[in-house]
């Protein structure tokens, strides 16, 4: 907090495509799409126009308690259509990712109460997970630094190990993956007693934790495990959906069907705040086909299904589909992953464990002897910024998540800036 007082503000004034411009007119390639979300790129007139037209027609009207507005109904329909392969049947809107997660957690407890199993209330998250800032979302999250000051958490929440192959909690970085974290999750469920566990929540790729890409079979295995023990599987797709991994969703990338999915960020590419929680037909039917005196889902935000946000989302999804941004993410991401690998091989004392899936990438910056954890990564990020490229760090990891419209030619600036920063770091040692 002290450092924030003296740090100069980086005030962005305008933006176009993959670039943002500060108040002095200096151009930066935003290799993080803001906070992992400007998937369609900046300055998209189609989205702005859809928002303006909707605001003029109907700026706001509730979408619950028997009331509705057309854009929220249209968007729900469109999402269910897009999410057919994932088996989603219905959507609940909120304002952001935290609320989308909060909704899913509450729904999971309601689901089991509706089924006559009120003891199934426990929630399982994972180490290194990010799910938001509200108490439920933070309770299932697993980044210690974000948590410690805010205890105590929501009760009956447990954490399984992350599928972090290069930093495996069981085998260390070098031995092959044996899916020991999946076995541990199974032991946890058995120990807790499956009749008391409501849901397991997982990001298909853990983003804020450091772009932790799971081994290929991990998601399918934990999904099967959850089905076997009657534990609802919530896929937190706030970062991984809408083309980021080269597919519509991370669940599709890994070939699984969750019970619930959470969305925000790329849903509108950030043009308006909007969160969504999608549920399977089974979840929807269970919570709706109740006796008149059965449990009711008493939950909703004032701005749930905000018409202007929904209009922005509809226009944004149209762009993602028409321009096949998922295919571009896959194509450019393959190249980016290769380039990161080349850099880590060229400078192993400064950068290791490169990874990229679609346009979600990472490279780990090895701290120098005198560095505190994360310090060298911050220095590298700063050096890249001086060269006009914005990235983020998660402790020692440099994370990349550019707009999905990025071309290889534009992406070359990211690689060049990273290479120069690494060369400088090596020279300073
Ligand atoms: N889930 C995941 C996977 C996220 O990455 C984030 C935000 N980074 C959230 C939930 C919370 O979203 P929001 O910040 O919109 O509340």
């Amino acid at each position: 907090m002290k450092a924030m007082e003296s740090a100069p503000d980086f005030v962005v004034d305008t933006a176009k495509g993959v670039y943002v411009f500060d108040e002095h007119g200096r151009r930066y390639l935003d290799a993080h799409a803001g906070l992992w979300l400007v998937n369609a790129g900046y300055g998209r007139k189609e989205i702005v126009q859809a928002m303006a037209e909707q605001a003029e027609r109907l700026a706001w009207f509730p979408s619950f308690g028997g009331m509705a507005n057309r854009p929220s109904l249209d968007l729900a329909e469109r999402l269910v259509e897009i999410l057919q392969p994932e088996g989603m049947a219905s959507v609940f809107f909120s304002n952001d990712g935290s609320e989308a997660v909060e909704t899913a957690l509450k729904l999971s407890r309601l689901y089991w109460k509706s089924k006559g199993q009120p003891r199934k209330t426990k929630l399982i998250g994972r180490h290194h997970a990010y799910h938001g800032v509200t108490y439920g979302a933070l309770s299932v999250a697993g980044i210690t630094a974000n948590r410690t000051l805010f205890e105590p958490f929501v009760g009956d929440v447990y954490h399984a190990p992350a599928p972090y192959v290069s930093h495996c909690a069981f085998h260390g970085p070098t031995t092959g993956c044996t899916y020991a974290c999946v076995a541990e999750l199974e032991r946890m469920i058995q120990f807790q007693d499956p009749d008391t566990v409501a849901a397991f929540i997982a990001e298909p790729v853990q983003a804020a934790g450091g772009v932790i890409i799971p081994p290929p079979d991990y998601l399918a295995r934990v999904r099967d495990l959850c089905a076997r023990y009657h534990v609802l599987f919530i896929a937190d797709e706030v970062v991984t959906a809408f083309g980021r991994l080269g597919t519509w969703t991370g669940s599709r990338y890994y070939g699984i069907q969750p019970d619930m999915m959470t969305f925000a960020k790329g849903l509108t590419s950030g043009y308006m705040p909007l969160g969504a929680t999608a549920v399977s037909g089974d979840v929807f039917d269970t919570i709706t086909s109740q006796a008149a005196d059965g449990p009711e889902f008493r939950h909703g935000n004032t701005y749930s299904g905000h018409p202007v946000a929904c209009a922005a989302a509809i226009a944004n999804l149209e762009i993602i589909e028409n321009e096949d941004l998922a295919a571009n993410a896959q194509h450019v991401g393959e190249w980016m992953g290769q380039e990161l690998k080349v850099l880590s091989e060229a400078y192993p004392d400064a950068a290791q464990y490169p990874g990229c899936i679609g346009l979600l990438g990472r490279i780990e910056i090895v701290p120098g002897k005198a560095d505190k954890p994360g310090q060298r990564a911050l220095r590298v990020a700063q050096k890249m910024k001086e060269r006009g490229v914005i990235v983020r760090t998660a402790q020692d990891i440099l994370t990349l998540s550019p707009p999905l419209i990025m071309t290889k030619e534009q992406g070359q600036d990211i690689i060049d800036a990273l290479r120069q920063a690494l060369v400088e770091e090596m020279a300073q040692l």
Side-chain angles (χ1 to χ4, degrees):
M1 297 312 291
K2 206 78 205 141
M4 283 183 91
E5 276 177 12
S6 54
D9 286 329
F10 172 59
V11 183
V12 166
D13 185 38
T14 57
K16 186 79 196 148
V18 299
Y19 301 106
V20 299
F21 299 82
D22 70 11
E23 289 184 315
H24 310 291
R26 187 151 185 230
R27 189 183 87 164
Y28 298 83
L29 193 161
D30 183 2
H32 224 277
L35 291 170
W36 333 78
L37 75 145
V38 191
N39 289 10
Y42 292 99
R44 299 299 305 238
K45 290 210 163 58
E46 309 92 308
I47 304 178
V48 176
Q49 202 173 339
M51 284 163 53
E53 279 169 14
Q54 183 56 48
E56 208 169 341
R57 191 184 180 90
L58 175 72
W60 181 79
F61 193 71
S63 55
F64 64 98
M67 298 180 276
N69 66 71
R70 181 53 56 192
S72 70
L73 297 177
D74 288 349
L75 177 60
E77 225 165 77
R78 180 74 191 109
L79 281 172
V80 167
E81 209 173 84
I82 289 171
L83 299 169
Q84 276 308 300
E86 288 80 2
M88 295 296 110
S90 186
V91 183
F92 180 94
F93 292 117
S94 53
N95 296 295
D96 56 29
S98 302
E99 289 180 358
V101 168
E102 213 64 40
T103 302
L105 299 177
K106 287 172 79 173
L107 273 173
S108 71
R109 287 180 170 176
L110 175 71
Y111 173 88
W112 292 111
K113 286 188 173 68
S114 302
K115 264 188 146 23
Q117 291 181 259
R119 288 178 63 228
K120 276 174 91 70
T121 57
K122 292 175 184 168
L123 305 167
I124 302 180
R126 298 181 302 172
H127 301 154
H128 301 292
Y130 190 92
H131 296 297
V133 294
T134 48
Y135 259 105
L138 187 61
S139 298
V140 289
I143 299 175
T144 306
N146 292 350
R147 292 166 46 92
T148 45
L149 290 175
F150 305 110
E151 287 173 301
F153 294 118
V154 168
D156 267 353
V157 173
Y158 304 88
H159 292 81
Y164 202 166
V165 182
S166 59
H167 298 69
C168 177
F170 301 92
H171 304 309
T174 47
T175 44
C177 175
T178 62
Y179 293 93
C181 52
V182 182
E184 178 59 20
L185 174 63
E186 182 164 15
R187 273 193 293 274
M188 282 178 70
I189 295 171
Q190 287 171 340
F191 173 74
Q192 292 297 335
D193 177 357
D195 287 347
T196 68
V197 182
F200 170 70
I201 181 164
E203 302 156 80
V205 173
Q206 292 186 301
V211 183
I212 300 169
I213 299 171
D217 270 358
Y218 172 84
L219 259 285
R221 288 184 190 217
V222 289
R223 207 286 161 258
D224 285 352
L225 196 66
C226 288
R228 209 157 358 109
Y229 287 97
H230 305 290
V231 170
L232 292 174
F233 182 97
I234 304 168
D236 182 352
E237 299 253 12
V238 166
V239 169
T240 48
F242 309 118
R244 178 56 59 197
L245 302 191
T247 44
W248 269 113
T249 68
S251 296
R252 199 172 305 182
Y253 182 93
Y254 288 108
I256 61 156
Q257 286 193 322
D259 295 300
M260 290 189 237
M261 303 173 80
T262 54
F263 306 102
K265 295 189 189 278
L267 175 55
T268 63
S269 284
Y271 283 75
M272 282 293 283
L274 183 64
T277 307
V279 303
S280 70
D282 169 48
V283 172
F284 184 74
D285 291 345
T286 302
I287 60 173
T288 52
S289 60
Q290 288 301 308
D293 58 351
E296 188 187 342
F297 189 39
R298 296 189 68 82
H299 173 89
N301 311 99
T302 297
Y303 298 115
S304 286
H306 193 294
V308 180
C310 291
I314 291 167
N316 173 60
L317 294 176
E318 212 169 287
I319 290 175
I320 292 175
E321 181 168 41
N322 291 347
E323 299 181 10
D324 205 353
L325 294 187
N328 189 60
Q330 195 205 348
H331 174 65
V332 180
E334 233 167 68
W335 165 84
M336 194 165 87
Q338 200 50 40
E339 294 292 315
L340 291 172
K341 190 159 170 279
V342 168
L343 283 183
S344 73
E345 284 164 2
Y347 308 103
D349 294 335
Q352 292 181 351
Y353 306 123
C356 196
I357 174 166
L359 273 174
L360 191 57
R362 59 118 64 198
I363 192 161
E364 199 158 320
I365 306 300
V366 184
K369 280 203 176 65
D371 290 324
K372 291 192 194 120
Q375 206 176 2
R376 196 184 205 189
L378 277 177
R379 255 191 341 259
V380 170
Q382 182 55 32
K383 286 184 168 128
M384 291 178 74
K385 194 167 165 213
E386 284 157 16
R387 291 180 170 82
V389 175
I390 298 171
V391 294
R392 272 173 74 83
T393 65
Q395 280 278 17
D396 292 324
I397 300 140
L398 210 74
T399 57
L400 299 165
S401 171
L404 306 185
I405 53 165
M406 190 179 79
T407 63
K408 280 187 200 172
E409 291 68 33
Q410 291 168 329
Q412 189 64 47
D413 286 349
I414 304 175
I415 300 301
D416 290 345
L418 177 55
R419 182 183 296 105
Q420 286 160 10
L422 292 176
V423 167
E424 254 179 50
E425 277 295 318
M426 295 303 292
Q428 273 168 15
L429 273 187

